[in-house]
Amino acid sequence: MKKISVLGSTGSIGTQTLDVISMHPDKFQVEGLSAGSNVELLIEQANVYRPKKVSVGRMDDVDIVKSNVPAGTEVFFGEEGLIEVAAGTDAEMVITAVMGSVGLKSTLAAIKEQKQIGLANKETLVTAGHLVTSLAKDKDVQIIPVDSEHSAIFQCLNGEEIREVKNITLTASGGSFRNLSRDQLQHVTVEDALKHPNWSMGSKITIDSATMVNKGLEVIEARWLFGLPYEQINVLLHPESIIHSFVEFQDTSMIAQMGNPDMRVPIQYALTYPKRLPSPAKSLSLTEIGSLHFKEMDMERFPCLRLAFECGKMGGTATTAFNAANEVAVARFLKGEISFLKIEEIIERVIEAHSNELNPDLSEIDRVDQYVRTLAGQM
Protein backbone atom coordinates (compact mmCIF):
# COMPACT_ATOMS: atom_id res chain seq x y z
CA MET A 1 0.00 0.00 0.00
CA LYS A 2 1.22 3.48 -0.87
CA LYS A 3 1.35 5.79 2.15
CA ILE A 4 -0.01 9.30 1.57
CA SER A 5 -0.16 12.60 3.46
CA VAL A 6 -2.60 15.29 2.29
CA LEU A 7 -1.93 18.95 3.02
CA GLY A 8 -5.19 20.87 2.73
CA SER A 9 -7.39 17.79 3.15
CA THR A 10 -10.62 19.77 3.72
CA GLY A 11 -10.37 21.86 0.54
CA SER A 12 -11.64 21.02 -2.92
CA ILE A 13 -8.53 19.11 -4.08
CA GLY A 14 -7.99 17.55 -0.65
CA THR A 15 -11.50 16.12 -0.38
CA GLN A 16 -11.35 14.79 -3.93
CA THR A 17 -7.97 13.21 -3.16
CA LEU A 18 -9.55 11.36 -0.26
CA ASP A 19 -12.44 10.35 -2.55
CA VAL A 20 -9.91 8.73 -4.87
CA ILE A 21 -8.17 7.02 -1.95
CA SER A 22 -11.53 5.68 -0.76
CA MET A 23 -12.17 4.18 -4.20
CA HIS A 24 -8.98 2.13 -3.91
CA PRO A 25 -8.71 1.20 -0.20
CA ASP A 26 -6.35 -1.68 -0.98
CA LYS A 27 -3.89 0.69 -2.70
CA PHE A 28 -3.48 3.62 -0.29
CA GLN A 29 -3.02 4.37 3.39
CA VAL A 30 -3.40 7.89 4.82
CA GLU A 31 -0.52 8.86 7.11
CA GLY A 32 -1.24 12.56 7.68
CA LEU A 33 -3.91 15.22 7.13
CA SER A 34 -3.83 18.98 7.55
CA ALA A 35 -6.56 21.60 7.48
CA GLY A 36 -6.95 25.31 8.12
CA SER A 37 -10.16 26.27 9.90
CA ASN A 38 -12.56 23.46 8.89
CA VAL A 39 -12.04 21.55 12.12
CA GLU A 40 -15.31 19.63 11.94
CA LEU A 41 -14.48 18.09 8.56
CA LEU A 42 -10.89 17.32 9.61
CA ILE A 43 -12.19 15.41 12.64
CA GLU A 44 -14.56 13.48 10.40
CA GLN A 45 -11.73 12.63 7.99
CA ALA A 46 -9.41 11.59 10.83
CA ASN A 47 -11.99 9.13 12.12
CA VAL A 48 -12.46 7.62 8.67
CA TYR A 49 -8.80 7.39 7.58
CA ARG A 50 -7.10 7.18 11.03
CA PRO A 51 -3.87 9.03 10.14
CA LYS A 52 -0.84 9.10 12.41
CA LYS A 53 -0.73 12.90 12.46
CA VAL A 54 -3.12 15.79 11.79
CA SER A 55 -2.65 19.54 11.86
CA VAL A 56 -4.97 22.54 12.17
CA GLY A 57 -4.40 26.19 11.43
CA ARG A 58 -4.83 27.60 14.96
CA MET A 59 -3.59 26.56 18.37
CA ASP A 60 -7.08 27.32 19.77
CA ASP A 61 -8.48 24.34 17.84
CA VAL A 62 -5.93 21.76 19.04
CA ASP A 63 -7.80 20.63 22.16
CA ILE A 64 -11.11 20.04 20.42
CA VAL A 65 -9.38 18.07 17.69
CA LYS A 66 -7.42 15.99 20.22
CA SER A 67 -10.60 15.04 22.05
CA ASN A 68 -12.39 13.91 18.87
CA VAL A 69 -9.82 12.01 16.81
CA PRO A 70 -8.79 8.35 17.24
CA ALA A 71 -6.45 7.45 20.07
CA GLY A 72 -2.86 7.57 18.85
CA THR A 73 -3.42 10.35 16.31
CA GLU A 74 -1.05 13.21 17.12
CA VAL A 75 -2.35 16.76 16.69
CA PHE A 76 -0.27 19.78 15.61
CA PHE A 77 -1.02 23.32 14.46
CA GLY A 78 0.22 26.21 12.33
CA GLU A 79 3.17 26.20 9.98
CA GLU A 80 5.10 23.74 12.13
CA GLY A 81 2.11 21.44 12.04
CA LEU A 82 2.04 21.55 8.25
CA ILE A 83 5.72 20.66 8.19
CA GLU A 84 5.15 17.79 10.63
CA VAL A 85 2.39 16.28 8.48
CA ALA A 86 4.44 16.81 5.31
CA ALA A 87 7.80 15.54 6.51
CA GLY A 88 7.31 13.78 9.84
CA THR A 89 5.36 10.67 8.85
CA ASP A 90 6.09 7.48 6.92
CA ALA A 91 4.24 8.86 3.87
CA GLU A 92 5.91 8.09 0.57
CA MET A 93 3.96 10.82 -1.21
CA VAL A 94 2.66 14.21 -0.09
CA ILE A 95 -0.28 15.82 -1.89
CA THR A 96 0.17 19.57 -1.41
CA ALA A 97 -3.34 20.95 -1.78
CA VAL A 98 -3.16 23.92 0.60
CA MET A 99 -4.08 27.28 -0.89
CA GLY A 100 -1.50 30.02 -1.33
CA SER A 101 2.18 30.46 -0.49
CA VAL A 102 1.67 28.87 2.94
CA GLY A 103 2.49 25.57 1.24
CA LEU A 104 6.09 26.48 0.40
CA LYS A 105 7.98 25.53 3.58
CA SER A 106 6.08 22.28 4.12
CA THR A 107 6.74 21.24 0.52
CA LEU A 108 10.45 21.98 0.92
CA ALA A 109 10.47 19.97 4.16
CA ALA A 110 8.84 16.99 2.42
CA ILE A 111 11.37 17.14 -0.42
CA LYS A 112 14.23 17.17 2.10
CA GLU A 113 12.84 13.89 3.46
CA GLN A 114 12.77 12.56 -0.12
CA LYS A 115 9.00 12.22 -0.32
CA GLN A 116 7.38 12.27 -3.75
CA ILE A 117 5.32 15.43 -4.29
CA GLY A 118 1.85 15.55 -5.85
CA LEU A 119 1.71 19.27 -6.52
CA ALA A 120 -1.67 21.01 -6.45
CA ASN A 121 -0.31 24.15 -4.79
CA LYS A 122 0.94 26.18 -7.75
CA GLU A 123 1.96 29.10 -5.50
CA THR A 124 4.87 26.99 -4.21
CA LEU A 125 6.63 27.11 -7.60
CA VAL A 126 5.44 30.64 -8.36
CA THR A 127 6.92 31.95 -5.12
CA ALA A 128 10.18 29.99 -5.07
CA GLY A 129 10.42 27.77 -8.13
CA HIS A 130 14.22 27.94 -8.30
CA LEU A 131 14.58 26.72 -4.71
CA VAL A 132 12.00 23.95 -4.98
CA THR A 133 13.21 22.49 -8.27
CA SER A 134 16.86 22.71 -7.26
CA LEU A 135 16.21 20.86 -3.99
CA ALA A 136 14.07 18.25 -5.76
CA LYS A 137 16.92 17.60 -8.19
CA ASP A 138 19.45 17.32 -5.37
CA LYS A 139 17.23 14.88 -3.44
CA ASP A 140 16.15 12.95 -6.57
CA VAL A 141 12.50 13.71 -5.79
CA GLN A 142 9.87 13.65 -8.51
CA ILE A 143 7.26 16.44 -8.55
CA ILE A 144 4.09 15.16 -10.22
CA PRO A 145 1.57 17.86 -11.16
CA VAL A 146 -2.04 17.55 -10.00
CA ASP A 147 -3.52 20.60 -11.74
CA SER A 148 -5.46 19.39 -14.78
CA GLU A 149 -3.43 21.51 -17.23
CA HIS A 150 -0.03 20.47 -15.94
CA SER A 151 -1.09 16.87 -15.57
CA ALA A 152 -2.14 17.02 -19.24
CA ILE A 153 1.29 18.31 -20.31
CA PHE A 154 2.98 15.74 -18.05
CA GLN A 155 0.99 12.96 -19.71
CA CYS A 156 1.64 14.30 -23.22
CA LEU A 157 5.38 14.29 -22.53
CA ASN A 158 5.52 10.67 -21.38
CA GLY A 159 8.30 8.99 -23.35
CA GLU A 160 9.21 12.20 -25.17
CA GLU A 161 12.38 14.30 -25.15
CA ILE A 162 11.85 17.82 -23.81
CA ARG A 163 14.37 19.16 -26.33
CA GLU A 164 12.03 18.04 -29.11
CA VAL A 165 9.17 20.20 -27.81
CA LYS A 166 8.33 23.23 -29.95
CA ASN A 167 5.84 24.67 -27.46
CA ILE A 168 3.22 23.77 -24.89
CA THR A 169 -0.26 25.29 -24.70
CA LEU A 170 -2.30 25.59 -21.52
CA THR A 171 -6.01 25.86 -22.17
CA ALA A 172 -8.23 28.26 -20.22
CA SER A 173 -11.99 28.17 -19.80
CA GLY A 174 -12.13 31.95 -19.39
CA GLY A 175 -13.79 31.75 -15.98
CA SER A 176 -17.04 33.22 -14.74
CA PHE A 177 -16.86 36.39 -16.83
CA ARG A 178 -15.44 35.14 -20.10
CA ASN A 179 -18.31 36.64 -22.11
CA LEU A 180 -18.32 40.04 -20.40
CA SER A 181 -16.66 43.21 -21.71
CA ARG A 182 -14.38 45.39 -19.60
CA ASP A 183 -17.24 47.83 -19.08
CA GLN A 184 -19.53 45.05 -17.87
CA LEU A 185 -16.93 43.99 -15.31
CA GLN A 186 -17.26 47.29 -13.44
CA HIS A 187 -20.16 46.12 -11.28
CA VAL A 188 -19.87 42.33 -10.98
CA THR A 189 -20.38 40.85 -7.51
CA VAL A 190 -18.62 38.20 -5.44
CA GLU A 191 -21.59 35.89 -6.02
CA ASP A 192 -21.27 36.36 -9.78
CA ALA A 193 -17.54 35.65 -9.69
CA LEU A 194 -17.95 32.39 -7.75
CA LYS A 195 -20.13 30.78 -10.45
CA HIS A 196 -17.51 28.93 -12.51
CA PRO A 197 -19.03 27.47 -15.70
CA ASN A 198 -17.04 24.20 -15.78
CA TRP A 199 -15.19 23.33 -12.58
CA SER A 200 -16.12 22.97 -8.91
CA MET A 201 -13.32 24.71 -7.00
CA GLY A 202 -12.63 26.74 -3.87
CA SER A 203 -13.53 30.43 -3.74
CA LYS A 204 -10.00 31.80 -4.13
CA ILE A 205 -9.12 29.75 -7.20
CA THR A 206 -12.54 30.49 -8.74
CA ILE A 207 -11.85 34.24 -8.46
CA ASP A 208 -8.36 33.65 -9.87
CA SER A 209 -9.96 31.90 -12.83
CA ALA A 210 -12.19 34.90 -13.47
CA THR A 211 -9.26 37.36 -13.42
CA MET A 212 -7.04 34.90 -15.35
CA VAL A 213 -4.50 35.12 -12.51
CA ASN A 214 -4.89 31.38 -12.11
CA LYS A 215 -3.71 30.83 -15.69
CA GLY A 216 -0.83 33.22 -15.07
CA LEU A 217 0.21 31.22 -12.02
CA GLU A 218 -0.03 28.06 -14.14
CA VAL A 219 2.23 29.58 -16.79
CA ILE A 220 4.90 30.31 -14.15
CA GLU A 221 4.43 26.85 -12.65
CA ALA A 222 4.80 25.25 -16.09
CA ARG A 223 8.09 27.05 -16.62
CA TRP A 224 9.52 25.33 -13.51
CA LEU A 225 7.84 21.95 -13.95
CA PHE A 226 8.95 21.44 -17.54
CA GLY A 227 12.04 23.65 -17.77
CA LEU A 228 10.81 25.59 -20.79
CA PRO A 229 11.30 29.32 -21.43
CA TYR A 230 8.21 31.54 -21.45
CA GLU A 231 8.53 31.96 -25.20
CA GLN A 232 7.54 28.28 -25.55
CA ILE A 233 4.49 28.51 -23.27
CA ASN A 234 1.16 29.55 -24.75
CA VAL A 235 -2.37 30.03 -23.42
CA LEU A 236 -5.51 29.43 -25.48
CA LEU A 237 -9.15 30.07 -24.57
CA HIS A 238 -11.15 26.85 -24.74
CA PRO A 239 -14.59 27.31 -23.15
CA GLU A 240 -15.54 23.62 -22.95
CA SER A 241 -12.47 22.55 -20.89
CA ILE A 242 -12.32 19.23 -22.77
CA ILE A 243 -8.74 19.52 -24.08
CA HIS A 244 -6.90 20.14 -20.83
CA SER A 245 -3.65 21.18 -22.57
CA PHE A 246 -1.46 20.06 -25.45
CA VAL A 247 2.11 19.86 -26.73
CA GLU A 248 3.44 20.68 -30.19
CA PHE A 249 6.70 19.01 -31.17
CA GLN A 250 9.41 20.16 -33.56
CA ASP A 251 7.90 18.13 -36.40
CA THR A 252 4.56 19.99 -35.86
CA SER A 253 2.87 16.88 -34.45
CA MET A 254 0.54 17.69 -31.56
CA ILE A 255 -0.42 15.51 -28.60
CA ALA A 256 -3.35 16.59 -26.42
CA GLN A 257 -4.90 15.13 -23.26
CA MET A 258 -8.70 15.16 -23.23
CA GLY A 259 -11.52 14.28 -20.87
CA ASN A 260 -14.59 15.62 -19.10
CA PRO A 261 -13.80 18.22 -16.41
CA ASP A 262 -13.23 16.05 -13.33
CA MET A 263 -10.31 16.70 -10.99
CA ARG A 264 -10.37 13.13 -9.71
CA VAL A 265 -8.70 12.03 -12.96
CA PRO A 266 -5.44 14.05 -12.64
CA ILE A 267 -5.44 13.47 -8.86
CA GLN A 268 -5.62 9.71 -9.34
CA TYR A 269 -2.96 9.76 -12.04
CA ALA A 270 -0.58 11.58 -9.68
CA LEU A 271 -1.27 8.99 -6.96
CA THR A 272 -0.84 5.96 -9.23
CA TYR A 273 1.77 7.15 -11.75
CA PRO A 274 2.97 5.49 -13.92
CA LYS A 275 0.03 3.07 -13.63
CA ARG A 276 -3.63 3.83 -14.37
CA LEU A 277 -6.58 2.49 -12.37
CA PRO A 278 -10.32 2.50 -13.13
CA SER A 279 -12.00 5.83 -12.39
CA PRO A 280 -15.62 6.77 -11.62
CA ALA A 281 -15.27 9.79 -13.91
CA LYS A 282 -17.66 9.87 -16.86
CA SER A 283 -16.07 8.84 -20.14
CA LEU A 284 -15.83 11.55 -22.76
CA SER A 285 -18.17 11.24 -25.74
CA LEU A 286 -17.02 13.43 -28.62
CA THR A 287 -20.31 12.84 -30.42
CA GLU A 288 -22.20 14.23 -27.43
CA ILE A 289 -19.88 17.24 -27.27
CA GLY A 290 -20.31 17.81 -31.00
CA SER A 291 -17.81 20.65 -31.37
CA LEU A 292 -14.98 22.35 -29.51
CA HIS A 293 -14.13 26.04 -29.64
CA PHE A 294 -10.86 27.94 -29.31
CA LYS A 295 -9.92 31.60 -29.22
CA GLU A 296 -6.67 33.54 -29.00
CA MET A 297 -5.99 35.02 -25.57
CA ASP A 298 -6.64 38.77 -25.37
CA MET A 299 -4.02 40.25 -23.04
CA GLU A 300 -5.88 43.56 -22.89
CA ARG A 301 -9.07 41.85 -21.76
CA PHE A 302 -7.09 39.78 -19.23
CA PRO A 303 -4.23 42.04 -18.08
CA CYS A 304 -3.38 39.78 -15.12
CA LEU A 305 -2.18 37.11 -17.54
CA ARG A 306 0.04 39.66 -19.27
CA LEU A 307 1.44 40.68 -15.87
CA ALA A 308 2.17 37.05 -15.01
CA PHE A 309 4.20 36.58 -18.19
CA GLU A 310 6.07 39.83 -17.51
CA CYS A 311 6.87 38.87 -13.92
CA GLY A 312 7.93 35.40 -14.99
CA LYS A 313 10.38 36.80 -17.52
CA MET A 314 11.72 39.24 -14.90
CA GLY A 315 12.38 36.33 -12.55
CA GLY A 316 13.58 36.75 -8.99
CA THR A 317 11.04 38.04 -6.49
CA ALA A 318 8.75 39.49 -9.17
CA THR A 319 6.65 36.31 -9.19
CA THR A 320 6.62 36.28 -5.37
CA ALA A 321 5.25 39.83 -5.44
CA PHE A 322 2.68 38.93 -8.11
CA ASN A 323 1.35 36.05 -6.05
CA ALA A 324 1.31 37.86 -2.69
CA ALA A 325 -0.44 40.93 -4.13
CA ASN A 326 -3.08 38.73 -5.71
CA GLU A 327 -3.73 36.73 -2.53
CA VAL A 328 -4.36 39.92 -0.57
CA ALA A 329 -6.45 41.52 -3.31
CA VAL A 330 -8.65 38.45 -3.73
CA ALA A 331 -9.19 38.20 0.04
CA ARG A 332 -10.25 41.84 0.09
CA PHE A 333 -12.64 41.31 -2.83
CA LEU A 334 -14.23 38.28 -1.15
CA LYS A 335 -14.79 40.41 1.97
CA GLY A 336 -16.47 43.11 -0.13
CA GLU A 337 -13.74 45.70 0.52
CA ILE A 338 -12.82 46.29 -3.13
CA SER A 339 -14.36 45.87 -6.58
CA PHE A 340 -13.49 43.04 -8.96
CA LEU A 341 -11.38 45.22 -11.27
CA LYS A 342 -9.48 46.61 -8.28
CA ILE A 343 -7.76 43.21 -8.00
CA GLU A 344 -5.76 43.71 -11.19
CA GLU A 345 -5.09 47.36 -10.31
CA ILE A 346 -3.56 46.37 -6.98
CA ILE A 347 -1.37 43.71 -8.59
CA GLU A 348 -0.08 46.11 -11.25
CA ARG A 349 0.64 48.88 -8.74
CA VAL A 350 2.49 46.46 -6.47
CA ILE A 351 4.65 45.20 -9.34
CA GLU A 352 5.49 48.79 -10.31
CA ALA A 353 6.50 49.59 -6.72
CA HIS A 354 8.40 46.33 -6.21
CA SER A 355 12.21 46.29 -6.30
CA ASN A 356 13.11 42.98 -7.90
CA GLU A 357 15.74 40.72 -6.32
CA LEU A 358 17.27 38.01 -8.49
CA ASN A 359 18.09 34.56 -7.06
CA PRO A 360 16.54 35.25 -3.63
CA ASP A 361 16.99 32.84 -0.73
CA LEU A 362 14.08 31.78 1.48
CA SER A 363 14.52 34.66 3.93
CA GLU A 364 14.47 37.22 1.10
CA ILE A 365 11.35 35.60 -0.33
CA ASP A 366 9.68 35.80 3.09
CA ARG A 367 10.62 39.46 3.44
CA VAL A 368 9.28 40.42 0.01
CA ASP A 369 6.13 38.39 0.58
CA GLN A 370 5.34 40.17 3.85
CA TYR A 371 6.21 43.62 2.46
CA VAL A 372 3.96 43.12 -0.56
CA ARG A 373 1.06 41.86 1.57
CA THR A 374 1.22 44.98 3.71
CA LEU A 375 1.43 47.20 0.64
CA ALA A 376 -1.45 45.48 -1.14
CA GLY A 377 -3.60 45.75 1.96
CA GLN A 378 -3.21 49.53 1.96
CA MET A 379 -4.02 50.19 -1.71
Side-chain angles (χ1 to χ4, degrees), residues 253-327:
S253 294
M254 288 187 178
I255 297 180
Q257 190 266 330
M258 305 171 67
N260 286 310
D262 190 328
M263 280 304 301
R264 292 174 299 177
V265 175
I267 290 169
Q268 180 171 290
Y269 189 68
L271 288 170
T272 63
Y273 175 79
K275 296 181 179 180
R276 296 182 186 269
L277 297 180
S279 169
K282 180 184 176 183
S283 293
L284 174 66
S285 170
L286 290 176
T287 55
E288 284 182 17
I289 296 295
S291 60
L292 300 175
H293 301 87
F294 305 93
K295 187 178 179 181
E296 289 291 336
M297 188 59 65
D298 184 345
M299 295 296 187
E300 291 186 9
R301 170 63 179 77
F302 296 108
C304 290
L305 181 58
R306 169 182 56 79
L307 285 168
F309 270 101
E310 290 174 1
C311 288
K313 290 175 181 178
M314 288 167 62
T317 54
T319 54
T320 304
F322 177 86
N323 178 69
N326 177 65
E327 287 188 16

Side-chain angles (χ1 to χ4, degrees), residues 143-215:
I143 299 175
I144 300 178
V146 171
D147 278 341
S148 60
E149 296 84 356
H150 301 96
S151 176
I153 299 297
F154 182 73
Q155 293 179 61
C156 292
L157 290 174
N158 276 344
E160 304 288 350
E161 295 285 346
I162 196 70
R163 66 174 179 269
E164 295 176 356
V165 171
K166 186 174 183 179
N167 56 66
I168 63 175
T169 297
L170 307 178
T171 55
S173 70
S176 313
F177 305 138
R178 62 192 180 196
N179 296 318
L180 300 187
S181 67
R182 296 287 298 174
D183 288 341
Q184 290 173 313
L185 291 174
Q186 295 285 347
H187 306 292
V188 297
T189 67
V190 172
E191 291 73 22
D192 294 332
L194 290 175
K195 296 174 184 175
H196 195 283
N198 298 345
W199 298 93
S200 174
M201 307 181 291
S203 58
K204 194 264 183 182
I205 193 172
T206 304
I207 302 302
D208 284 351
S209 179
T211 61
M212 208 58 69
V213 163
N214 189 53
K215 203 57 51 177

Side-chain angles (χ1 to χ4, degrees), residues 2 62 67 73 78 112 119 144 154 167 239 257 280 287 342 373:
K2 192 171 186 177
V62 169
S67 61
T73 297
K112 287 178 182 176
L119 189 67
I144 300 178
F154 182 73
N167 56 66
Q257 190 266 330
T287 55
K342 185 74 173 178
R373 288 175 189 277

Side-chain angles (χ1 to χ4, degrees), residues 45-94:
Q45 292 173 342
N47 281 284
V48 171
Y49 298 99
R50 308 183 76 82
K52 303 285 196 315
K53 296 179 179 181
V54 299
S55 178
V56 289
R58 304 184 311 146
M59 182 174 64
D60 292 350
D61 293 325
V62 169
D63 288 341
I64 190 171
V65 175
K66 278 184 177 179
S67 61
N68 286 281
V69 296
T73 297
E74 295 183 83
V75 182
F76 303 87
F77 73 93
E79 187 173 74
E80 291 305 313
L82 268 179
I83 292 172
E84 192 65 40
V85 171
T89 74
D90 293 330
E92 302 157 66
M93 184 177 201
V94 178

Side-chain angles (χ1 to χ4, degrees), residues 112-157:
K112 287 178 182 176
E113 294 300 318
Q114 295 185 297
K115 298 181 186 299
Q116 190 181 53
I117 303 298
L119 189 67
N121 172 249
K122 57 182 66 68
E123 293 87 353
T124 290
L125 290 183
V126 171
T127 301
H130 62 298
L131 298 180
V132 175
T133 53
S134 176
L135 182 63
K137 184 177 180 180
D138 289 345
K139 294 293 184 178
D140 195 26
V141 167
Q142 187 171 30
I143 299 175
I144 300 178
V146 171
D147 278 341
S148 60
E149 296 84 356
H150 301 96
S151 176
I153 299 297
F154 182 73
Q155 293 179 61
C156 292
L157 290 174

